[in-house]
């Protein structure tokens, strides 16, 4: 982030982004940005390494901009050398719910709401307002991302479906295909070839 500010809500949580912040995104991750009235200048650099964290901080943003003038790869190297990874701190209950969903793909949303003194309708509306999707849709997406990560393992698709919170392999296949435009079997064949 070069200047301005925005709030980003996505698959790894919600954060207020300000100058010097670095937000990392993995493949197939989605997010929603609520940009402040003052706007935001953002430098987007493809990241080819592993995702070290959801959020990082750079003290000298101008050094990254100067590196970017030499090319995208130079900017990525400058970020990798200068970034200090930080953790997301929950802002309020929608963030705590998102964190609980990421930790437990089997989370029963009504039970969570009751435990936190909230009505299920309040949870649905409040979560949608913060994240742009309902908690049910968010949980389904998190399950699918977990399954995507598990495709490189030797576990069967039936086992991956069960481990990730899907009712059966067909449910996994529908969700996975909607995200990647490929079936889990085709994805595994592609991984085997690479």
């Amino acid at each position: 982030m070069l200047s301005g500010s925005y709030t980003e809500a996505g698959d790894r949580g919600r954060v207020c982004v300000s100058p010097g912040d670095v937000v990392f995104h993995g493949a197939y991750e989605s997010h929603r940005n609520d940009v402040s009235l003052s706007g935001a200048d953002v430098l987007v650099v493809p990241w080819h390494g592993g995702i070290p964290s959801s959020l990082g901080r750079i003290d000298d943003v101008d050094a990254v901009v100067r590196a970017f003038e030499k090319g995208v790869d130079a900017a990525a190297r400058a970020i990798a050398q200068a970034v200090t990874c930080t953790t997301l701190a929950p802002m309020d209950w929608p963030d705590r719910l998102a964190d609980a969903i990421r930790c437990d793909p089997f989370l029963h949303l009504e039970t969570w709401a009751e435990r936190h003194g909230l009505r299920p309708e309040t949870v649905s509306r409040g979560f949608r307002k913060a994240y742009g999707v309902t908690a049910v849709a968010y949980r389904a997406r998190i399950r699918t991302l977990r399954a995507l990560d598990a495709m490189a393992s030797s576990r069967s698709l039936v086992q991956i479906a069960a481990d990730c919170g899907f009712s059966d392999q067909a449910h996994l296949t529908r969700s996975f295909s909607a995200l990647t435009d490929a079936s889990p079997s085709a994805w595994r064949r592609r991984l085997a070839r690479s």
Side-chain angles (χ1 to χ4, degrees):
M1 173 69 130
L2 303 176
S3 66
S5 65
Y6 66 93
T7 300
E8 178 173 302
D11 296 335
R12 293 209 246 167
R14 188 168 51 140
V15 62
C16 292
V17 183
S18 59
D21 287 338
V22 178
V23 182
F24 295 97
H25 296 286
Y28 297 102
E29 285 188 24
S30 68
H31 61 276
R32 163 188 156 172
N33 294 333
D34 291 321
V35 180
S36 68
L37 292 176
S38 62
D41 290 318
V42 178
L43 181 63
V44 178
V45 177
W47 193 256
H48 300 293
I51 305 299
S53 160
S54 296
L55 183 66
R57 183 99 187 126
I58 292 180
D59 292 328
D60 188 0
V61 176
D62 292 334
V64 174
V65 173
R66 287 190 301 275
F68 185 75
E69 291 170 355
K70 298 174 187 171
V72 173
D73 290 338
R77 284 191 301 276
I79 291 170
Q81 291 170 356
V83 70
T84 302
C85 292
T86 60
T87 58
L88 296 177
M91 290 190 262
D92 51 20
W93 71 258
D95 297 327
R96 288 190 296 278
L97 175 55
D99 187 50
I101 290 169
R102 288 189 304 275
C103 291
D104 179 7
F106 298 93
L107 182 70
H108 191 265
L109 298 173
E110 287 183 10
T111 303
W112 188 92
E114 186 178 295
R115 226 179 300 134
H116 291 84
L118 298 166
R119 295 177 48 95
E121 305 82 37
T122 302
V123 168
S124 181
R125 282 190 305 270
F127 194 88
R128 180 188 283 273
K129 184 176 181 185
Y131 279 81
V133 296
T134 65
V136 170
Y138 187 85
R139 183 182 59 194
R141 181 166 176 76
I142 295 303
R143 288 175 176 173
T144 307
L145 290 171
R146 279 179 171 236
L148 180 66
D149 287 342
M151 285 299 137
S153 75
S154 61
R155 290 181 286 168
S156 71
L157 294 179
V158 170
Q159 187 61 52
I160 290 172
D163 292 347
C164 293
F166 292 99
S167 57
D168 55 28
Q169 185 178 337
H171 186 200
L172 163 66
T173 298
R174 285 190 303 275
S175 295
F176 193 90
S177 297
L179 178 67
T180 65
D181 209 24
S183 71
S185 298
W187 189 268
R188 280 194 150 167
R189 285 191 298 273
R190 203 178 301 160
L191 283 175
R193 287 191 302 264
S194 58

